[in-house]
Amino acid sequence: MPRFHCPLPLSAGLDVDLPAGAARHVQVLRLQPGDTITLFEGTQDGPGGEWQATIVRMGRSDVQVRVDQHHPTERENPRPVHLLAGITANERMDWLVEKATELGVTSITPLLAERSVLKLKGERGDKKRAHWQAVAVAACEQCGRNRVPVVHEAVTLAQWLQSQPHAQAQAHGALRAVLSLADGTQPLPSLLAAGDAGPAQPVYFLSGPEGGLTAAEEALARSHGFAPVTLGSRVLRAETAPLAALVLATA
């Protein structure tokens, strides 16, 4: 059954006009009145689940549906995982956002790292953020998730640390890990196993762009409670390493 993100308060018996993007998708699929679709609100802290709905009217540029039955289906990982990813070049960041969403990431913060090729400011940054959020929505429609990960504003590591002090993370029992090629790292599975809050313990993963984090950035992260971890003896690409970490954290 086709699935569509509908960020509106939904309830049984309600007639709603689909958002423009979902309406266009319905029309592209050549669906007709009487066809059944699935809707999900997508908020991280909302009621969750998904709704069965029936198309009641097809306009030239709009689609109206009647909301039917709610299904309390959840496909989220028990462990909230927040990704801080150095912005990669071209379409690689799109791919990272898409696959991280499929793997169950809770939120993504694009990092303006020192070695990031793409520098985002002002209106251009807002457009990129909206684009990446749309990529996450489309990935949820495809993979069956009913809660869309939040793509935050692109910031530097220092800005993020200032807004999310280590004391706050400790108060919430969160674990912080930075993917590192430096000496003195420990395997990521060992760090996860040593966590004191069990499989539901929140994790913040920090990874760099092409070329990795600079020594200064990694030192800053370590000074704020990020434990250096390794994924093994091979060097993974900037868009691959955080996905490998997500797999281990959500297994």
Side-chain angles (χ1 to χ4, degrees):
M1 186 182 302
R3 289 170 42 83
F4 303 97
H5 180 228
C6 186
L8 302 169
L10 301 177
S11 59
L14 183 69
D15 286 352
V16 298
D17 291 328
L18 293 182
R24 285 194 299 272
H25 196 180
V26 166
Q27 292 168 334
V28 167
L29 292 176
R30 299 182 182 276
L31 299 178
Q32 299 297 322
D35 288 340
T36 302
I37 61 176
T38 297
L39 302 177
F40 62 98
E41 295 181 31
T43 58
Q44 282 290 327
D45 55 358
E50 57 192 22
W51 294 86
Q52 182 175 312
T54 303
I55 298 173
V56 296
R57 183 177 62 82
M58 296 283 293
R60 299 189 66 174
S61 60
D62 62 298
V63 176
Q64 188 178 74
V65 302
R66 176 162 298 131
V67 182
D68 300 321
Q69 185 178 2
H70 180 259
H71 300 282
T73 304
E74 287 293 349
R75 301 183 180 92
E76 298 302 297
N77 298 318
R79 185 196 299 273
V81 180
H82 305 274
L83 179 61
L84 290 78
I87 299 175
T88 55
N90 302 322
E91 292 79 25
R92 292 178 182 176
M93 193 68 185
D94 289 14
W95 189 84
L96 173 56
V97 170
E98 179 184 74
K99 301 310 174 188
T101 299
E102 292 177 21
L103 291 171
V105 74
T106 305
S107 73
I108 301 171
T109 301
L111 280 186
L112 297 167
E114 292 184 34
R115 291 175 175 153
S116 291
V117 175
L118 187 62
K119 304 296 183 182
L120 299 175
K121 292 183 180 180
E123 184 179 354
R124 186 185 182 199
D126 293 340
K127 288 182 178 179
K128 267 296 182 183
R129 178 186 178 185
H131 170 73
W132 288 327
Q133 190 67 72
V135 170
V137 166
C140 285
E141 291 177 336
Q142 179 273 322
C143 75
R145 288 187 67 179
N146 293 320
R147 298 184 186 273
V148 179
V150 177
V151 180
H152 294 291
E153 179 183 1
V155 293
T156 66
L157 177 58
Q159 289 172 328
W160 186 86
L161 290 170
Q162 186 175 13
S163 67
Q164 302 284 331
H166 183 41
Q168 179 177 327
Q170 288 181 318
H172 290 83
L175 189 67
R176 291 182 171 189
V178 55
L179 303 180
S180 174
L181 297 175
D183 295 334
T185 59
Q186 62 177 308
L188 175 56
S190 298
L191 180 70
L192 294 172
D196 58 9
Q201 181 181 28
V203 177
Y204 288 83
F205 279 126
L206 169 60
S207 65
E210 296 91 342
L213 299 171
T214 63
E217 287 174 321
E218 187 165 331
L220 179 62
R222 291 195 188 199
S223 70
H224 284 77
F226 279 86
V229 296
T230 177
L231 297 172
S233 59
R234 293 181 296 276
V235 178
L236 304 181
R237 297 179 68 101
E239 68 272 23
T240 306
L243 300 180
L246 281 172
V247 170
L248 292 172
T250 58

